[in-house]
């Protein structure tokens, strides 16, 4: 370990390691599964535009804020607030983050489990000689079955726990550095296949041509929620990772690189999916199953599709894994530092506890599909609650905490590494932290849930 002030803690060993691990957290099912399905349900182009606007302003600011809080405090998501603002109630923001990690991991592992099933199918050549309707049927019958999705989900949670047991450098950093670039390459190849399909133009139009009549309060809130979810912000995952970052790391440029990678991959995923959606006559608002119904058809239609299919689902599994480990690490780092548990005990205990909620999420597609709260299944509630409520609200508290409680002096210190580098946009950053982000997030949230009437 080469960190200056982090000698006592496990930490990232290199700058690329930091970017790779945090980008590994950001890039995941949120980009490849959630972005296309939410964009598809919310009208495409206009949604994309608003989503990009949120990333550039609020998203990067919250991300940088989390890194600053993490590095400054050298603590987990809850301990950070306790340390930086002792004898106050700010630690409750950390509690909210830990709850969010619980909730997200529970439903995220459902989808990660689907990815394992698809990897298994791809290896067994299970998509071959099937038409679009048959592939869709395959997805339906898998999704509605009980045992298989559960087994895959629990297996995935086991994989996550295994990496977390290894600790930061040996576990998280090692795996992400190598596999992320491979995923990007494969997606680019798939994009080429997708945009050269007959009828691909419709899909590109859907994704890139904004139709402003589609914008409602709800669409704007969904775009905000997607930005938070995709960037892994609002719950302290990046506070936790920030605490492993070295003192000489240039946080603003690290933030920028991660945001760019995350957004680039979401857009590429859109370019990969939507042309095929239109070319094969799938409904863009097909919901959570969208990519699982479309991707196998693309593989069938490309030379070398078998091998691409296997690799793609393998790398998607890895992308999901680098996200789930960042989620579980939030909980485990807290349990180690605050509850004084061993890494081993914390990992096993919490992986098991979260799996209980996870099982309910998975059963939302089978046994519990009729069980609804607020008109939504358990799965949809967990998804909505985390992305559209917990993360944005966490974001509000995080920016207020940094902007008002820690204040400009500490901010300047951290972004300039004690005055050794310059940051041009410092004033704008502080303005966003103090005013723009908290007010905008609250307005979008209230408008999205219909407080100002109409939707
Ligand atoms: N950003 C991840 C994705 O896009 O798949 C999901 C996620 C990971 C959200 C970690 C929040 C988090 F703290």
């Amino acid at each position: 370990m080469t960190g200056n002030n982090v000698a006592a803690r496990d930490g990232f060993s290199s700058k690329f390691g930091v970017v790779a691990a945090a980008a590994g957290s950001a890039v995941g099912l949120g980009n490849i599964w959630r972005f296309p399905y939410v964009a598809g349900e919310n009208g495409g182009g206009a949604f994309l535009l608003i989503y990009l606007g949120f990333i550039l302003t609020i998203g990067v600011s919250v991300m940088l804020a989390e890194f600053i809080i993490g590095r400054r405090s050298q603590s987990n998501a809850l301990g950070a607030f306790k340390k930086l603002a002792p004898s106050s109630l700010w630690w409750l923001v950390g509690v909210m983050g830990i709850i969010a990690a619980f909730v997200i991991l529970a439903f995220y592992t459902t989808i990660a489990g689907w990815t394992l099933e698809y990897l298994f199918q791809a290896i067994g050549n299970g998509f071959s000689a099937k038409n679009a309707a048959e592939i869709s049927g395959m997805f339906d019958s898998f999704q509605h079955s009980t045992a298989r999705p559960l087994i895959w989900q629990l297996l995935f949670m086991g994989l996550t726990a295994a990496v977390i047991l290894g600790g930061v450098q040996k576990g998280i950093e090692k795996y992400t550095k190598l596999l992320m670039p491979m995923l990007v390459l494969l997606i680019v190849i798939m994009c080429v296949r997708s945009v050269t399909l007959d009828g691909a133009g419709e899909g590109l139009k859907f994704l890139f041509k904004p139709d402003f009549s589609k914008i409602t309060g709800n669409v704007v809130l969904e775009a905000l929620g997607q930005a938070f979810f995709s960037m892994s912000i609002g719950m302290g995952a990046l506070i936790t990772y920030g605490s492993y970052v070295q003192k000489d790391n240039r946080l603003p440029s690290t933030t920028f690189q991660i945001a760019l990678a995350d957004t680039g991959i979401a857009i590429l995923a859109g370019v990969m999916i939507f042309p095929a959606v239109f070319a094969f006559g799938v409904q863009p608002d097909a919901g959570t199953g969208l990519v699982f119904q479309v991707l196998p058809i693309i593989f069938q239609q490309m030379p070398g599709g078998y091998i691409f299919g296997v690799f793609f689902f393998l790398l998607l599994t890895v992308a999901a894994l680098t996200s789930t480990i960042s989620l579980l690490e939030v909980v485990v780092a807290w349990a180690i530092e605050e509850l004084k548990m061993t890494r081993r005990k914390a990992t096993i205990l919490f992986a098991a506890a979260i799996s209980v909620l996870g099982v309910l999420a998975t059963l939302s597609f089978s046994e519990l599909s009729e069980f609804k709260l607020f008109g939504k299944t358990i799965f949809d509630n967990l998804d909505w609650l985390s992305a559209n409520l917990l993360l944005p609200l966490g974001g509000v508290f995080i920016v207020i905490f940094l902007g008002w409680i820690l204040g400009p002096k500490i901010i300047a210190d951290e972004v300039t590494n004690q005055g050794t580098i310059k940051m041009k946009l410092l004033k704008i950053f502080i303005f966003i932290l103090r005013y723009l982000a908290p007010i905008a997030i609250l307005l979008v949230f209230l408008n999205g849930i219909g407080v100002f009437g109409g939707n």
Side-chain angles (χ1 to χ4, degrees):
M1 179 154 24
T2 54
N4 338 350
N5 287 355
V6 288
R9 303 184 87 230
D10 200 359
F12 293 124
S13 64
S14 68
K15 292 207 178 94
F16 182 65
V18 174
V19 175
S25 168
V27 175
L29 296 172
N31 307 60
I32 292 156
W33 157 74
R34 199 175 190 279
F35 172 75
Y37 110 71
V38 177
E41 284 184 339
N42 289 285
F47 173 89
L48 175 64
L49 208 64
I50 303 170
Y51 163 75
L52 291 178
F54 282 141
I55 286 186
L56 264 178
T57 51
I58 298 174
V60 290
S61 304
V62 177
M63 184 180 274
L64 182 52
E66 286 202 30
F67 280 141
I68 291 175
I69 295 172
R71 185 169 72 175
R72 187 87 190 173
S73 66
Q74 293 289 299
S75 277
N76 62 86
L78 191 144
F81 292 98
K82 271 214 262 178
K83 208 156 162 183
L84 298 175
S87 16
S88 73
L89 288 179
W90 281 99
W91 58 273
L92 287 170
V93 182
V95 172
M96 213 169 84
I98 287 157
I99 294 174
F102 249 80
V103 170
I104 297 177
L105 256 179
F107 77 84
Y108 202 90
T109 45
T110 300
I111 310 298
W114 294 1
T115 309
L116 284 180
E117 161 79 11
Y118 271 61
L119 172 61
F120 181 77
Q121 291 293 344
I123 292 172
N125 213 0
F127 311 123
S128 81
K130 290 202 170 66
N131 61 28
E134 285 167 325
I135 282 180
S136 198
M138 231 175 116
F139 175 74
D140 281 338
S141 66
F142 164 68
Q143 187 191 34
H144 294 135
S145 60
T146 308
R148 264 179 104 94
L150 283 180
I151 293 169
W152 289 126
Q153 174 180 40
L154 296 178
L155 185 67
F156 198 92
M157 188 64 97
L159 283 174
T160 307
V163 178
I164 288 298
L165 280 176
V168 175
Q169 256 187 54
K170 279 190 246 98
I172 298 171
E173 189 175 344
K174 192 169 106 192
Y175 293 95
T176 43
K177 269 205 290 215
L178 180 72
L179 296 159
M180 296 300 300
M182 279 169 67
L183 178 69
V184 176
L185 181 70
L186 212 65
I187 295 178
V188 170
I189 296 173
M190 300 268 299
C191 285
V192 173
R193 170 67 281 210
S194 192
V195 298
T196 51
L197 287 167
D198 270 351
E202 272 307 296
L204 291 175
K205 226 160 86 194
F206 178 80
L207 182 62
F208 291 116
K209 193 152 175 263
D211 171 357
F212 292 103
S213 69
K214 297 259 169 68
I215 298 177
T216 62
N218 189 45
V219 170
V220 179
L221 176 59
E222 289 283 350
L224 181 74
Q226 176 59 27
F228 269 78
F229 187 86
S230 188
M231 297 179 87
S232 298
I233 53 178
M235 50 158 280
L238 300 183
I239 293 181
T240 309
Y241 275 15
S243 76
Y244 304 136
V245 172
Q246 297 151 352
K247 284 286 165 211
D248 62 351
N249 188 287
R250 295 167 179 236
L251 293 179
S253 73
T254 297
T255 299
F256 187 70
Q257 287 168 35
I258 297 164
L260 199 70
D262 186 59
T263 312
I265 292 179
I267 294 176
L268 282 175
V271 173
M272 164 173 89
I273 300 293
F274 285 110
V277 163
F278 283 81
F280 302 133
V282 179
Q283 289 304 317
D285 59 356
T288 45
L290 187 68
V291 296
F292 292 94
Q293 286 162 321
V294 173
L295 287 174
I297 321 179
I298 312 182
F299 292 124
Q300 282 222 46
Q301 308 242 342
M302 65 198 277
Y306 172 80
I307 201 76
F308 281 121
V310 171
F311 266 103
F312 186 86
F313 284 113
L314 184 67
L315 292 172
L316 188 56
T317 302
V318 174
L321 190 62
T322 54
S323 299
T324 52
I325 57 187
S326 73
L327 287 157
L328 189 56
E329 180 66 13
V330 170
V331 182
V332 167
W334 158 72
I336 293 174
E337 289 171 16
E338 308 299 313
L339 307 180
K340 308 289 175 233
M341 284 187 188
T342 59
R343 180 167 276 274
R344 194 180 165 76
K345 186 169 166 202
T347 306
I348 295 172
L349 180 74
F350 287 105
I354 295 166
S355 295
V356 175
L357 189 60
V359 166
L360 298 179
T362 298
L363 293 180
S364 302
F365 295 94
S366 51
E367 262 68 9
L368 297 176
S369 64
E370 294 308 315
F371 180 79
K372 297 201 169 148
L373 292 166
F374 314 108
K376 287 185 163 83
T377 61
I378 298 177
F379 180 97
D380 287 336
N381 270 306
L382 296 176
D383 184 342
W384 193 94
L385 177 78
S386 58
N388 297 352
L389 177 68
L390 291 175
L391 299 185
L393 199 61
V396 170
F397 289 124
I398 286 166
V399 290
I400 292 180
F401 182 74
L402 184 61
W404 293 99
I405 308 295
L406 297 189
K409 166 89 183 56
I410 289 183
I411 298 171
D413 240 31
E414 284 292 326
V415 294
T416 63
N417 292 351
Q418 274 69 38
T420 55
I421 52 168
K422 284 207 164 55
M423 182 189 176
K424 286 198 208 100
L425 303 174
L426 184 58
K427 284 222 170 73
I428 299 181
F429 177 51
I430 293 177
F431 173 77
I432 294 177
L433 290 178
R434 289 188 141 188
Y435 303 100
L436 185 94
I439 295 172
I441 295 170
L442 283 175
L443 286 179
V444 168
F445 178 74
L446 294 175
N447 188 36
I449 60 169
V451 168
F452 306 127
N455 224 329

